[in-house]
């Protein structure tokens, strides 16, 4: 493949939140954007942990780069694996304020929007590829009801209006810098997301083989 035929992949992560010193999702994106990926033209964007600002910035990045694939990343500190998300829900219910101090409770993301939107990524294939590489991974049914789910829900709305765009969300676990919890190094996370990117690229052009919510595996 010549460089011009490589797909464009937009990978997003988040800035730190809730007094944490770092957010591994944003750190992985910075690394990937700096080092690139041999299978694609990789663009990285670190989003604010803001209900109001994150999705518009994501939409602007999609407009600017016109990617073939969008993989949005976020931190799920209590998880012990890299978890591709299956379903975004039309609910914002924040346990803690976001970085702007906003704390929506029991609110719809889009008034009258669909209750759920499903991923466009082959989540089971990603989880299998990661497991095969010795990196713990599980498909997750919900991205919660905080800023990550909000961005995931809006991302899938954008993707519905852009035929050919494959998009979805992956939560990553904590790194040692966050103390306690599961211990994934940033190197492992980077390797895992590289594998996820390759898996999605390898399956492009097989639109028909994605079953319900990214479920077909082979
Ligand atoms: N995780 C939060 C928001 C930002 C992040 O990295 C979440 O899971 O909603």
């Amino acid at each position: 493949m010549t460089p011009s035929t490589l797909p464009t992949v937009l990978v997003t992560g988040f800035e730190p939140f809730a007094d944490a010193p770092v957010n591994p999702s944003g750190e992985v994106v910075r690394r990937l954007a700096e080092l690139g990926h041999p299978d694609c033209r990789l663009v990285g964007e670190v989003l604010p942990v803001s209900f109001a600002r994150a999705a518009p910035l994501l939409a602007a990045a999609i407009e600017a780069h016109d990617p073939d694939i969008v993989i949005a990343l976020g931190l799920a500190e209590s998880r012990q694996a890299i978890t591709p998300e299956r379903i975004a829900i039309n609910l914002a219910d924040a346990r803690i304020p976001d970085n702007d101090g906003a704390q929506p409770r029991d609110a719809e993301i889009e008034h009258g929007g669909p209750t759920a939107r499903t991923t466009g990524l082959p989540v089971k294939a990603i989880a299998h590829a990661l497991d095969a590489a010795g990196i713990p991974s599980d498909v997750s049914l919900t991205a919660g009801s905080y800023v990550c789910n909000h961005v995931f829900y809006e991302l899938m709305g954008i993707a519905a209006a852009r035929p050919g765009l494959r998009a979805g969300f992956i939560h990553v676990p904590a790194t040692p810098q966050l103390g306690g919890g599961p211990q994934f190094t940033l190197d492992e996370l980077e390797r895992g997301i590289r594998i996820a990117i390759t898996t999605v690229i390898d399956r492009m052009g097989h639109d028909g083989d994605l079953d319900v919510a990214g479920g077909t595996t082979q």
Side-chain angles (χ1 to χ4, degrees):
M1 258 195 218
T2 62
S4 63
T5 64
L6 291 177
T8 298
V9 179
L10 171 63
V11 186
T12 70
F14 282 100
E15 67 185 7
F17 66 108
D19 298 328
V22 292
N23 187 327
S25 69
E27 299 299 309
V28 167
V29 166
R30 280 201 192 89
R31 274 203 190 189
L32 289 171
E34 191 182 314
L35 301 172
H37 188 297
D39 299 336
C40 63
R41 191 175 80 81
L42 195 145
V43 185
E45 187 84 23
V46 177
L47 300 172
V49 181
S50 160
F51 282 100
R53 293 180 292 126
L57 284 169
L58 174 63
I62 291 171
E63 277 302 320
H65 300 294
D66 192 22
D68 302 286
I69 294 167
V70 179
I71 300 179
L73 305 176
L75 168 67
E77 220 174 321
S78 61
R79 295 202 186 154
Q80 322 238 348
I82 294 179
T83 49
E85 298 290 349
R86 209 161 185 179
I87 301 165
I89 55 176
N90 189 14
L91 173 68
D93 192 26
R95 196 174 39 81
I96 55 171
D98 70 9
N99 286 357
D100 296 335
Q103 189 172 7
R105 302 308 307 250
D106 304 315
E108 282 182 314
I109 295 171
E110 285 182 26
H111 186 58
T115 305
R117 290 177 176 149
T118 55
T119 185
L121 300 181
V123 288
K124 285 195 172 173
I126 292 170
H128 285 166
L130 290 170
D131 275 339
I135 299 173
S137 181
D138 267 320
V139 171
S140 165
L141 277 182
T142 173
S145 57
Y146 194 50
V147 177
C148 287
N149 174 70
H150 190 277
V151 160
F152 183 21
Y153 186 84
E154 296 292 57
L155 171 61
M156 298 324 300
I158 294 168
R162 295 178 84 97
L165 174 62
R166 285 216 163 190
F169 198 97
I170 299 177
H171 262 122
V172 300
T175 49
Q177 294 148 292
L178 293 170
Q183 304 284 290
F184 268 62
T185 65
L186 207 51
D187 284 348
E188 276 175 303
L189 290 186
E190 181 194 339
R191 192 162 76 89
I193 299 308
R194 285 182 178 282
I195 290 168
I197 291 169
T198 300
T199 305
V200 179
I201 292 171
D202 284 351
R203 297 175 64 84
M204 275 179 34
H206 294 86
D207 275 347
D209 70 3
L210 262 196
D211 209 334
V212 176
T216 298
T217 54
Q218 300 306 321

